[in-house]
Amino acid sequence: MPETLPHPAQIASRRAAPDVVGAVRRLRALAVAAWTRPYLAAELRIAECHLGRVYAGRISFPQLAVRVRTLYDHLVVLEAPYTPAARITRGRALANGWLGPDAWTPSTIDDPQGRPLTATVRARIEDLQWMVDTGEGLAGACRRLQLEAGTLYRSLER
């Protein structure tokens, strides 16, 4: 059964709070990954209209942020069911400019000043992961990526 959320006026400085930022980014990332609003609302035990407010960053409370984090950690490694509703959800999320799970790292997703990974950095990380999986050493990886070791470390830290 959906829970009643507090009135926005009861939530002090909710826009800058990391739990709100993280909850919004996680829910939007799940939408990009095609997890539908009805499914997410049911899993979070809130009404769909309240989930829309969370997507917009207009409402949150600490207990919801914890539930969003837990649900995100569970769903981010799974593939959403392939349904017409899932395709529509993903299309709308992308049309809104929302970012998927691959744009965030554990250190940036909750940080209000955190920046998403660029497509270039994500591609570099994928290339590096492939090289590590195939047994390539750091020197070889740097040669293939045409980077100095320090540049590679700085790119991965972001």
Side-chain angles (χ1 to χ4, degrees):
M1 178 150 172
E3 295 180 15
T4 304
L5 299 178
H7 188 277
Q10 296 172 329
I11 304 168
S13 68
R14 64 189 182 280
R15 292 207 195 284
D19 60 337
V20 174
V21 171
V24 170
R25 287 177 178 169
R26 283 180 175 87
L27 286 175
R28 288 179 175 184
L30 289 174
V32 170
W35 293 99
T36 63
R37 185 181 287 204
Y39 180 82
L40 295 174
E43 290 294 312
L44 292 170
R45 300 183 313 274
I46 61 174
E48 283 184 54
C49 63
H50 293 305
L51 184 61
R53 291 183 187 140
V54 178
Y55 278 135
R58 293 193 318 247
I59 189 166
S60 188
F61 57 96
Q63 298 88 347
L64 179 59
V66 170
R67 290 197 312 244
V68 168
R69 177 179 285 127
T70 302
L71 182 62
Y72 177 85
D73 290 344
H74 174 71
L75 295 179
V76 76
V77 296
L78 303 175
E79 195 166 319
Y82 188 73
T83 65
R87 287 193 309 275
I88 290 168
T89 297
R90 178 173 167 72
R92 286 182 179 163
L94 291 171
N96 284 328
W98 295 354
L99 301 171
D102 61 341
W104 302 107
T105 66
S107 63
T108 61
I109 198 162
D110 290 312
D111 182 0
Q113 303 302 315
R115 296 185 326 213
L117 297 174
T118 64
T120 304
V121 172
R122 288 195 309 262
R124 189 174 287 165
I125 290 171
E126 288 175 15
D127 290 347
L128 182 60
Q129 184 63 51
W130 179 82
M131 287 181 227
V132 168
D133 290 345
T134 59
E136 186 73 63
L138 177 62
C142 288
R143 239 186 343 272
R144 284 177 175 231
L145 294 172
Q146 299 176 350
L147 295 171
E148 297 292 325
T151 304
L152 181 60
Y153 282 124
R154 283 190 301 279
S155 292
L156 295 175
E157 284 176 354
R158 286 186 240 138

